[in-house]
Amino acid sequence: MTVDISVYRPGELTAADRAAWSALQARAVEDGSPQLANPFLAPEFALAVGRCRRGARIAVVREDGEAVAFFPFQRTSMGVGQAIGLGVSDAQGLVHRPGFQWDTRELLAACGLSLWEFDHLIEGQKPFEVTASGSYASPVIDVDQGFERYLAALRKQSPKFTRTTLAKERRLGRDVGEVRYVHDERDPAMLRVLTGWKSAQYRRTGRADRFARPWIAHLVEQLFHTRTPSFSGLLSVLYAAGRPVAAHFGLRSQTVLACWFPAYDPDFAKYSPGLVLHLRMAEGAAAEGLAYLDLGRGGKAYKDSLKTRELSVSEGWVTRRHPVALGYRARRAPVRALRNTVQSRPELFEHADRLLKRVGRIRERG
């Protein structure tokens, strides 16, 4: 058997290779690897990142001329590699046919990398997982049995949460006006409303504004306009009396809705419009025949209330023997360790969260 690994810029990938990549994702569900069908692992996401970031590349592994695996990544001139879209991508790894195994050092060498860094590695990537520094929960909402089945399970699992959220939706309709949900909103103006809310939320809570980074803003806009049979950017909006009160932009594959950027109008906070929106998103996803919504890594109270189960994602590095790899890990490891320690200990996280919000209020007043 002849094995070949070729590396391309995203725009150089042929239509046949893109089709083969999508076919591998479609087969993954039947073959027992549903996480490979995540839209962050789709060719459309890699191509969009490639238009926004220099250094985006795709390694195609062929056996006897047939494409059997696709490995999207980013690299610097020094040969440091990262998961494509690192910092905004919520699912990372190598998309491959069932049973395919790879040698990480051979793959890195073929890609010209001394190291590859990941922070949302999906399950089942054993050659990468052996070097992971930690694994973390990524909650999901299962809707493959239909929305009513999910809602019944939610009432049993979180009765007070469910009752309160549905009551707030009814109250929003009484106090403000007719509540209307649009699962697939195509008006670009509503995307701008959402990103405006999200930027304000970042500033208000003392976080770095992702949409202040041009490449992220450009990426989201591109993905909003991307629609193929197996992938699309999905903007969902909750309206009250014709006014948007909550919105979410995520990515959809044939089986998974990857939740990404939710936000709401603070003027309507007492109605919990973000929670109402997530219930309607689950209903819309079920109606489209999707299997689940991936809420993404990270502990949040609303995720714990909405979830039906959890997936696991990992972070870490795979390396070759190279001084650049050693130096990079030496710089990055302490930062990651500190962040994970704070996030895993509620008393530290709450203190850090209060401090960031205080900083955010100072910035707003300034």
Side-chain angles (χ1 to χ4, degrees):
M1 180 186 299
T2 302
V3 178
D4 172 72
I5 303 177
S6 302
V7 178
Y8 304 90
R9 289 180 171 83
E12 297 171 345
L13 210 62
T14 67
D17 280 338
R18 293 197 300 270
W21 187 341
S22 296
L24 288 176
Q25 285 196 289
R27 284 179 55 189
V29 178
E30 300 173 4
D31 296 328
S33 302
Q35 282 184 266
L36 283 177
N38 191 291
F40 282 106
L41 293 171
E44 292 87 349
F45 180 73
L47 265 64
V49 174
R51 299 185 193 104
C52 303
R53 302 287 281 171
R54 293 181 180 179
R57 299 289 187 271
I58 297 165
V60 182
V61 184
R62 305 181 199 277
E63 292 181 349
D64 294 334
E66 179 187 358
V68 296
F70 295 85
F71 178 57
F73 63 95
Q74 293 171 210
R75 75 178 177 197
T76 69
S77 59
M78 296 294 291
V80 171
Q82 296 178 328
I84 197 159
L86 188 79
V88 295
S89 63
D90 286 348
Q92 300 154 2
L94 181 143
V95 178
H96 58 88
R97 76 176 186 189
F100 176 75
Q101 295 296 318
W102 63 97
D103 182 283
T104 57
R105 289 190 175 132
E106 287 182 8
L107 180 63
L108 293 187
C111 296
L113 301 177
S114 60
L115 168 149
W116 182 65
E117 179 183 12
F118 53 87
D119 63 1
H120 285 76
L121 181 72
I122 63 169
E123 294 175 273
Q125 304 267 307
K126 291 182 180 178
F128 293 147
E129 287 173 342
V130 294
T131 60
S133 58
S135 297
Y136 306 90
S138 185
V140 303
I141 298 174
D142 291 297
V143 293
D144 55 324
Q145 299 298 311
F147 178 70
E148 291 305 322
R149 180 75 64 87
Y150 165 65
L151 192 60
L154 192 65
R155 284 193 169 105
K156 184 176 181 180
Q157 168 188 303
S158 307
K160 183 178 179 181
F161 167 84
T162 308
R163 186 171 59 252
T164 301
T165 302
L166 294 175
K168 286 182 176 180
E169 181 179 17
R170 294 190 295 271
R171 184 181 167 197
L172 176 64
R174 290 195 303 269
D175 294 353
V176 180
E178 179 190 4
V179 176
R180 181 171 62 94
Y181 170 70
V182 178
H183 188 64
D184 187 7
E185 175 61 81
R186 301 309 303 159
D187 184 353
M190 289 300 102
L191 181 65
R192 292 191 291 273
V193 169
L194 168 61
T195 57
W197 285 343
K198 199 66 183 177
S199 290
Q201 178 190 341
Y202 286 137
R203 294 193 299 270
R204 190 168 60 248
T205 56
R207 271 71 172 181
D209 180 4
R210 288 184 171 182
F211 291 105
R213 304 177 69 179
W215 80 267
I216 295 178
H218 186 207
L219 175 65
V220 168
E221 184 176 0
Q222 276 196 79
L223 291 169
F224 172 75
H225 292 289
T226 300
R227 299 178 80 80
T228 70
S230 58
F231 177 99
S232 69
L234 186 69
L235 175 65
S236 302
V237 184
L238 186 73
Y239 295 91
R243 177 177 173 178
V245 296
H248 169 270
F249 181 72
L251 305 178
R252 182 191 60 78
S253 68
Q254 290 179 310
T255 55
V256 181
L257 171 55
C259 300
W260 205 10
F261 292 111
Y264 61 86
D265 186 338
D267 289 347
F268 297 89
K270 67 181 181 180
Y271 301 104
S272 299
L275 296 177
V276 174
L277 175 69
H278 275 79
L279 287 181
R280 295 306 147 219
M281 285 164 52
E283 185 176 25
E288 287 193 326
L290 272 61
Y292 64 88
L293 293 78
D294 189 338
L295 297 173
R297 170 184 166 181
K300 296 286 181 65
Y302 81 90
K303 294 182 183 182
D304 288 338
S305 297
L306 291 165
K307 71 182 181 183
T308 54
R309 61 187 173 95
E310 294 176 341
L311 301 174
S312 177
V313 295
S314 303
E315 69 172 38
W317 301 264
V318 288
T319 63
R320 295 164 58 208
R321 294 181 181 274
H322 196 285
V324 171
L326 292 174
Y328 186 83
R329 285 194 62 169
R331 291 193 305 273
R332 291 281 289 166
V335 176
R336 279 199 170 188
L338 177 61
R339 182 201 66 196
N340 291 332
T341 297
V342 170
Q343 292 181 342
S344 65
R345 296 178 59 180
E347 69 277 12
L348 293 178
F349 180 80
E350 290 172 7
H351 178 73
D353 188 54
R354 286 195 299 270
L355 180 60
L356 286 171
K357 288 178 179 177
R358 192 177 304 129
V359 170
R361 289 193 294 270
I362 293 171
R363 285 177 180 172
E364 285 189 321
R365 288 197 296 267

